[in-house]
Amino acid sequence: MNKRKTIARVLAFAISAVCVLPAFKPTVVKAEDYWPEGPSIESASAVVMEVNTGTILYEKNSQEKKYPASITKIMTTLLALENSSLDETVTFSKNAVYLNEGDTSHISRDVGEEMTMEQCLYAVMLASANECAYAVAEHVGESLGGDYRTFIDMMNERAAALGAVNTHFNNCNGLPDTEHWTCAYDMGLIACEAYKNENFRIMTGTSTYTIPRTNKHKNDETPLTNHHKMLHYYKTGDYIYPYCTGGKTGYTDASGSTLVTYAEKDGMTLACVVMDVKAPRQFTDTKLLLDYCFDNFQPYNISENETSIADTMDKNVGILNTNEPFVTLDTDAYIILPKAVSFADAQVVLSTGQENEQLAKFEYSYAGRTVGHVEIVATGAKVAQPDLKEPQDTESEEEQAEVVVIEPWTIVLSVLAVVALAIVVWLARRFFRDYYVRKHDREIRRERRNRFRRIKRNKGHSRRKRDRMFR
């Protein structure tokens, strides 16, 4: 099975290479490459990323070490969603209650109180409840055979796996700790990854939620309100942003205000991170950055614009041109470019795939920035089995008819050989073409040297003849 997958990857890569060679453009940043100038903001560091492509549209000191405060809880919520079920029962310990309430953001839970994981995570994302975040971390860590610190280790491991460059988590809620830091770039990576989780998107975009009565709060429900003022009315409506779909607020004296905001418009999904700023500039800076991105950039669907690649892959194959293509481009993939440029201005590079059914991918860049990619995926098409009928023996019923069987992978290997041969022929033609050009150049230089020698000999002969005349 692994051998077949390997052969399929090699075949797809070879076909992809042949498809892209005529349209290949070297990755060179041209002098005329245009990137819109971003706005001036007061936040000490910031980044705006397009969630699905990872394109960085704006950054300011994005890798500078900062304290995150409660935007830490985005990672906490993501890991909880990935490592538990929403209907699991979370029980609040003494540490969860007494280490995280007091003069911090909380919803007054009691020791031994029981809530579902879903209720806890709504409290974490909407009300920024520190004791709920701690109880969640304890529960997930213990369910995996560890404890609270097991969960913190998971946070750091996941950040590193996402490509974080300056992050060290030391708690699950962002309370002040000199050993707990990150940067805007890393929080952008974490925010983008979290938004790809459907349950997270629902939670972060919820304006209000009510926790029903519990074993400790038997008479009262607990209403929750999202603290993100760009999503809905919370104490004021001055900062409501019509395209905001969620986010997370944060503040401590050490960190200043921090804010993560999601927004969707015109086919783009943005994650904006601002850190270390005085309130209320976290909201006004975010609005400036989101407006800048929506006004100056737009998505381009790759399969609709990269016709030199897509058209070749979509053609039927096989001897009779009747088989479905073995590979195709992801039709939902797109890149992000400034509105002032065209799709043709982006450069493309082919790389091999690593995951799932991804066989390879084309990576796009513009102005020295990665702007998106498209995966080349297997279609699942099968090599058509020949419909060979058993020949009839007219002479004797006792003789068995001979049946011809053609293995599908024999055909696949034959196609691979043809593709490889085509590449070799193409390279050979280029070599011999260059060879004859070089040969022609050598002959010209040789002729010039011979002509020079003849002229020099003639001059010498004339000089000797003249000397004899006047001797």
Side-chain angles (χ1 to χ4, degrees), residues 77 81 86 118-119 121-128 195 197-211 222-234 244-249 262 264:
T77 301
L81 288 171
L86 293 178
E118 180 178 20
Q119 293 162 3
L121 293 180
Y122 271 105
V124 169
M125 288 301 298
L126 274 61
S128 202
Y195 201 71
N197 184 293
E198 182 179 5
N199 285 324
F200 180 89
R201 289 197 304 273
I202 294 172
M203 290 178 177
T204 193
T206 298
S207 298
T208 60
Y209 181 85
T210 300
I211 298 175
T222 305
L224 305 176
T225 301
N226 198 316
H227 293 180
H228 202 308
K229 297 179 181 179
M230 298 182 73
L231 178 66
H232 75 125
Y233 187 98
Y234 176 67
C244 178
T245 57
K248 184 72 190 74
T249 59
Y262 299 105
E264 297 181 12

Side-chain angles (χ1 to χ4, degrees), residues 189-464:
L189 295 177
I190 295 167
C192 288
E193 183 68 12
Y195 201 71
K196 296 173 185 177
N197 184 293
E198 182 179 5
N199 285 324
F200 180 89
R201 289 197 304 273
I202 294 172
M203 290 178 177
T204 193
T206 298
S207 298
T208 60
Y209 181 85
T210 300
I211 298 175
R213 297 178 180 87
T214 70
N215 62 321
K216 294 293 183 177
H217 288 76
K218 298 179 180 180
N219 299 320
D220 300 314
E221 296 177 335
T222 305
L224 305 176
T225 301
N226 198 316
H227 293 180
H228 202 308
K229 297 179 181 179
M230 298 182 73
L231 178 66
H232 75 125
Y233 187 98
Y234 176 67
K235 298 182 180 179
T236 177
D238 293 345
Y239 307 109
I240 293 177
Y241 191 71
Y243 311 111
C244 178
T245 57
K248 184 72 190 74
T249 59
Y251 174 81
T252 66
D253 290 340
S255 68
S257 290
T258 62
L259 185 68
V260 172
T261 306
Y262 299 105
E264 297 181 12
K265 181 186 177 186
D266 299 334
M268 292 194 299
T269 302
L270 305 183
C272 177
V273 181
V274 296
M275 304 185 74
D276 190 7
V277 63
K278 292 183 178 180
R281 284 310 299 258
Q282 72 269 34
F283 299 114
T284 54
D285 279 0
T286 295
K287 182 181 184 302
L288 282 174
L289 292 174
L290 293 176
D291 284 343
Y292 155 76
C293 293
F294 287 132
D295 290 344
N296 288 279
F297 299 92
Q298 67 180 13
Y300 288 86
N301 183 281
I302 296 175
S303 63
E304 294 176 0
N305 287 277
E306 191 65 89
T307 55
S308 60
I309 299 173
D311 288 352
T312 304
M313 288 187 171
D314 288 341
K315 290 181 179 178
N316 288 345
V317 295
I319 298 175
L320 301 178
N321 200 37
T322 57
N323 293 339
E324 292 296 321
F326 297 110
V327 295
T328 187
L329 297 181
D330 179 2
T331 56
D332 294 327
Y334 57 89
I335 63 175
I336 303 296
L337 291 173
K339 290 183 177 180
V341 303
S342 67
F343 181 88
D345 293 320
Q347 290 81 44
V348 59
V349 175
L350 178 67
S351 66
T352 56
Q354 299 293 333
E355 303 175 349
N356 303 325
E357 296 301 320
Q358 176 188 335
L359 303 173
K361 66 179 179 180
F362 292 109
E363 295 180 337
Y364 290 81
S365 63
Y366 172 78
R369 304 164 185 255
T370 299
V371 294
H373 69 273
V374 61
E375 295 179 356
I376 303 171
V377 295
T379 62
K382 304 293 183 181
V383 178
Q385 293 282 1
D387 184 15
L388 300 176
K389 296 182 179 180
E390 184 176 327
Q392 300 294 326
D393 189 348
T394 57
E395 297 181 358
S396 174
E397 295 180 356
E398 296 180 356
E399 296 183 3
Q400 298 297 324
E402 182 180 356
V403 178
V404 179
V405 178
I406 301 178
E407 290 291 338
W409 284 102
T410 302
I411 300 176
V412 172
L413 290 174
S414 300
V415 173
L416 177 60
V418 172
V419 172
L421 179 62
I423 295 175
V424 171
V425 171
W426 180 77
L427 293 173
R429 290 183 60 187
R430 289 198 59 180
F431 172 79
F432 285 111
R433 182 184 63 190
D434 295 343
Y435 169 77
Y436 285 113
V437 171
R438 292 194 297 271
K439 181 178 179 181
H440 178 68
D441 291 341
R442 287 198 298 271
E443 291 177 352
I444 291 176
R445 288 195 296 271
R446 187 182 301 113
E447 178 62 27
R448 288 176 178 172
R449 287 197 298 270
N450 292 338
R451 189 182 307 118
F452 175 77
R453 292 192 186 101
R454 288 196 299 271
I455 293 173
K456 188 174 182 180
R457 285 197 299 271
N458 290 339
K459 286 184 178 180
H461 177 73
S462 300
R463 187 180 300 110
R464 289 192 297 274

